[in-house]
Amino acid sequence: MVRTAMSDARDPERVAQDLARQLIHPHLGFVLFFCSAEYDLPVLGDALHQYFGGVRMVGCTSAGEITAQGYGRSCVTAVGFDHRSFSIACELIDEMDRFSLIDAQQLVERLGSDCRSNSLAPIKDHSFALTLLDGLSSREEIVLSALSAAFGSIPHFGGSAGDDNHLTNTHVYYDGQFRSGAAIVVLINTWLEFEVFTTHHILPRTEKLVVTRADSHARRVYELNAEPAAEEYARLIGVGVDELDHRLFAAHPLAVRINEHYYVRSIQKVNDDLSLTFYCAVENGIVLTAMRPGPLMPNLEALFERLEQRLGAPLLTIGCDCFLRRLEIEGNGSTADTSAFLKRQQVIGFNTYGEQFNGMHINQTFTGVAIGRPGGRAGERSAR
């Protein structure tokens, strides 16, 4: 039903050979992969296209990989889907700026039509969508808002491509090429049970920061509480502006409260003018709540315990794990334990520059889909 693969070879052709050897079989219908941005991407793209021929294949660059052996770095991780269990359609959005609701409706209609041609199960209640977006495009909200309206009751999740924490160039892969400024939408129809989920371990503090001057288009906040944004944030967490870095951003996140839920708005960088650039949209007048990380592993364990109660042991979990979570894990010395846990849960995925969940663009979450084995909890327990 699914096969997983990974390669840590440095030569792009060797990577393509490794993945092909592990994934190709007579019923392979689709391949999803995540790779380090350190590769020569044009060469890797050509090699993958050559070795996988007519098999549809999509992917993106990452800020760290999740393989069948747990966390990886500087490698490629992939999953191949059997067309007897999964009917999968995909499309490229190459102009994220101009993507409209009408575009989204037409795209979703085409995806549904493609999936129906394999006639595995009705689209409704048997399908979920995955989005892979250029993580530095600053256009995720435009695309997600339109897609969310078009998908209706179809659950969807995804991740923003990374580039090994360099914050310079992120790419998605479609039709043999790595592309910037683009997005991929994948509709997956299956007769297997599944659940799309999101979770985070971030807890609210009492302090609030009001965005008093911002450029929402650029995701740039110039003032918090009518003071230079970087200075006010540094004051909140008790450090100097010159000490601010990714690890402090991960340890001291900010969030928007919507009803009873908190949605993290992670800081990307400090600019020379003491403004702050965020990974998600921020607007004038919004109130940001200061947050703190709670225990990460108990949160993950509770999530998968709930998923297993419903689905049984997972056949596969596709995970979009914020790179700031990984920085936190590496910083507190829990990498080995977390990695081993992800391996037990059959997670294949990547560390992202942002996660997507049913139209929301969020940060510092673990978001994805868990797919159950045939027969669910009472059914067969064989992996493949």
Side-chain angles (χ1 to χ4, degrees), residues 259-330:
N259 298 321
E260 298 304 311
H261 298 285
Y262 290 90
Y263 297 95
V264 175
R265 295 287 182 262
S266 292
I267 299 169
Q268 182 185 114
K269 62 181 179 180
V270 179
N271 302 302
D272 291 339
D273 60 1
L274 297 181
S275 64
L276 297 172
T277 298
F278 283 71
Y279 283 101
C280 283
V282 282
E283 298 175 355
N284 282 315
I286 65 170
V287 177
L288 296 170
T289 299
M291 308 287 284
R292 62 179 178 83
L296 189 147
M297 273 304 299
N299 174 265
L300 264 186
E301 290 166 346
L303 166 71
F304 279 100
E305 183 179 340
R306 181 181 64 76
L307 290 170
E308 184 165 348
Q309 285 175 355
R310 189 192 151 206
L311 302 172
L315 171 71
L316 171 73
T317 305
I318 303 172
C320 302
D321 189 23
C322 184
F323 88 107
L324 293 171
R325 289 166 57 92
R326 180 138 176 196
L327 288 180
E328 178 188 336
I329 289 164
E330 290 171 348

Side-chain angles (χ1 to χ4, degrees), residues 108-124:
V108 171
E109 191 173 317
R110 290 192 300 270
L111 292 176
S113 178
D114 285 352
C115 282
R116 285 187 195 95
S117 66
N118 199 10
S119 64
L120 283 180
I123 297 297
K124 183 176 170 58

Side-chain angles (χ1 to χ4, degrees), residues 200 254-258 261-265 360-363:
H200 69 76
L254 303 172
V256 176
R257 181 177 176 177
I258 301 175
H261 298 285
Y262 290 90
Y263 297 95
V264 175
R265 295 287 182 262
M360 292 287 296
H361 184 211
I362 46 186
N363 296 124

Side-chain angles (χ1 to χ4, degrees), residues 146-216:
L147 284 174
S148 182
F151 276 129
S153 63
I154 296 173
H156 50 285
F157 76 99
S160 299
D163 66 346
D164 300 285
N165 304 356
H166 296 305
L167 299 174
T168 51
N169 288 290
T170 57
H171 298 80
V172 297
Y173 176 90
Y174 184 88
D175 197 21
Q177 292 184 350
F178 285 92
R179 306 157 190 263
S180 291
I184 295 168
V185 186
V186 184
L187 184 64
I188 300 175
N189 174 247
T190 181
W191 52 269
L192 294 165
E193 290 286 314
F194 63 84
E195 183 172 329
V196 172
F197 62 81
T198 187
T199 190
H200 69 76
H201 64 301
I202 309 299
L203 304 173
R205 293 167 42 178
T206 57
E207 302 93 333
K208 310 286 185 185
L209 296 173
V210 180
V211 177
T212 47
R213 188 162 74 91
D215 179 347
S216 58

